[in-house]
Amino acid sequence: FIAVYNLWASFDKVMQDIQGYFLADINVAFDRGYRFDKVASVTENIPGVESAEGWLEYPGTLKKGDDEAGTQILFVAPPSTSTLIDPIISTGRWLQPGDENAIVIGNHLLNIFPELKVGDWLTIEANGKETDWQIVGTYSMPGNVSPPLLYANYEYLSSLVGETEMAYSLRITTTQHDPETQKRVNEMVQSAFEAQGIQIRSTQLSADFIRDQKSQTDILVYFMLVMATLIAIVGGLGLMGTMSINVLERTREIGVMRAIGASNGDIQAIVIVEGMVIGIVSWMISILIAIPITNLLCYGVGMAILTAPMPAVYGLSGIVAWLIFTIVLGSLASALPARRASKLTVRDTLAYE
């Protein structure tokens, strides 16, 4: 139960990491390249738009080894001064203004060529000509990405492929970042581009992206929580059996307490508190056991869904929730044995063999 809560927190951490690559409120993808000054001037007149960046996305082929066909990659080129990307750098550094033939590769390309490292040179064919690029850093991005994304500076790549001042996508930030503002501005942006004859391939709202990603992961977490709860209920039935045996074995003790004036409430309180103590002891042990289970879940689920292990997050929410659940379960499991114990009379206990 605690490990599943930790897995939930790990999913939230992964969503934050993914969002670092899509910090814009609205991502507009065009069906072809348009001059950035043209599309930017259209958006500047729309109420609610704070700023816009033109990005270049361009396909290429990585020439490596004896594979004549090569490996398909996709250049993603933000402006060198972009504020709409916050990558997770694994090794090396991120792109800097003035970088020309520098690229940052990700974990998806490293899965194909694990020997690549910072400082290596790659030959990539783009726009019909081959150029050499030096790896200056590596980044990590959760999820399945195909083809692998290689980040380069917009200024250099656009000049290299003959697309100077052209934008294949527009990253827009709004004055207010709530879903309602994003939706309203997105509708006005689409209408304005349509009026100017600018063809849009797709738009993506930041709020919708996070909501869709979380809805998929939440289904898995809810299912695992149900499974953990069912296991806990089985444990509660086991505790109920244990407490029933304890009451049976201490029948004469209960008779002695009855004889010296113990009330029904006193007898019930003793049994219920004992069940709660057993539950709390198991809760303390479970905190330690949850650590390796969390690591195992984050690794297995991450590899199965995101093709990479997820960072393990240990939170207090699962520990507190499991404590409350354990106390309630221990009380309920002890309630029936406690009721039976309170019904025992002195005569019944003395006659018990």
Side-chain angles (χ1 to χ4, degrees):
F1 193 94
I2 296 175
V4 172
Y5 260 84
N6 291 340
L7 179 67
W8 205 345
S10 297
F11 272 127
D12 289 340
K13 177 65 168 59
V14 169
M15 291 302 105
Q16 294 176 7
D17 293 342
I18 294 177
Q19 194 173 11
Y21 295 89
F22 307 96
L23 293 179
D25 294 301
I26 304 173
N27 296 333
V28 180
F30 303 115
D31 62 348
R32 62 180 181 86
Y34 289 93
R35 289 192 59 84
F36 171 69
D37 54 0
K38 177 180 179 180
V39 294
S41 63
V42 175
T43 58
E44 288 173 357
N45 299 322
I46 297 176
V49 173
E50 183 177 283
S51 63
E53 289 183 1
W55 288 35
L56 178 64
E57 298 173 0
Y58 208 87
T61 303
L62 172 60
K63 301 293 185 178
K64 186 173 176 59
D66 298 330
D67 186 5
E68 295 183 0
T71 302
Q72 297 301 310
I73 58 93
L74 180 66
F75 280 111
V76 179
S80 58
T81 56
S82 175
T83 59
L84 298 181
I85 184 169
D86 183 20
I88 303 173
I89 299 299
S90 304
T91 59
R93 62 173 177 84
W94 184 244
L95 300 169
Q96 297 176 353
D99 283 341
E100 294 189 347
N101 55 347
I103 56 172
V104 180
I105 66 173
N107 51 298
H108 307 100
L109 185 64
L110 289 173
N111 290 338
I112 303 175
F113 303 108
E115 72 280 3
L116 294 178
K117 62 184 182 300
V118 174
D120 289 350
W121 288 84
L122 300 179
T123 300
I124 301 175
E125 179 183 346
N127 196 27
K129 57 182 178 181
E130 295 183 358
T131 53
D132 293 330
W133 299 80
Q134 185 178 29
I135 301 174
V136 298
T138 63
Y139 70 89
S140 176
M141 179 189 294
N144 297 308
V145 177
S146 182
L149 305 181
L150 275 62
Y151 284 87
N153 272 345
Y154 170 85
E155 294 81 1
Y156 178 73
L157 181 64
S158 61
S159 175
L160 182 69
V161 298
E163 298 282 356
T164 306
E165 301 298 329
M166 303 295 285
Y168 276 69
S169 64
L170 199 64
R171 309 293 174 101
I172 301 173
T173 55
T174 55
T175 53
Q176 302 294 325
H177 309 295
D178 56 281
E180 292 75 17
T181 300
Q182 293 180 12
K183 183 177 180 180
R184 174 175 54 82
V185 173
N186 182 52
E187 292 175 350
M188 290 189 292
V189 167
Q190 293 188 58
S191 299
F193 282 156
E194 183 179 355
Q196 295 292 326
I198 300 174
Q199 301 297 318
I200 296 177
R201 186 173 74 246
S202 64
T203 61
Q204 176 70 63
L205 304 184
S206 174
D208 291 347
F209 175 77
I210 297 300
R211 182 199 62 206
D212 294 342
Q213 296 296 320
K214 285 185 63 65
S215 64
Q216 297 177 18
T217 57
D218 285 351
I219 293 175
L220 174 63
V221 172
Y222 292 150
F223 174 77
M224 297 182 72
L225 280 177
V226 170
M227 298 299 295
T229 303
L230 292 177
I231 294 175
I233 292 175
V234 173
L237 295 176
L239 178 60
M240 182 183 297
T242 299
M243 298 308 300
S244 297
I245 295 175
N246 288 344
V247 170
L248 187 63
E249 290 179 343
R250 288 183 290 182
T251 300
R252 289 186 179 275
E253 297 177 19
I254 295 174
V256 173
M257 287 187 288
R258 281 291 199 186
I260 62 176
S263 64
N264 291 344
D266 294 332
I267 301 299
Q268 291 179 5
I270 291 173
V271 178
I272 291 177
V273 168
E274 183 176 343
M276 293 175 60
V277 169
I278 294 175
I280 292 175
V281 171
S282 72
W283 168 76
M284 291 187 291
I285 297 174
S286 69
I287 295 176
L288 299 177
I289 299 178
I291 295 176
I293 297 178
T294 298
N295 294 333
L296 184 63
L297 280 177
C298 289
Y299 179 84
V301 174
M303 293 299 294
I305 298 179
L306 304 174
T307 69
M310 293 193 302
V313 178
Y314 308 98
L316 292 177
S317 57
I319 295 176
V320 174
W322 182 239
L323 174 61
I324 297 173
F325 190 84
T326 300
I327 292 175
V328 173
L329 189 63
S331 302
L332 294 177
S334 305
L336 184 58
R339 186 169 179 272
R340 290 176 179 173
S342 65
K343 287 185 176 182
L344 292 174
T345 64
V346 175
R347 179 178 179 180
D348 293 335
T349 57
L350 295 178
Y352 174 76
E353 295 183 359

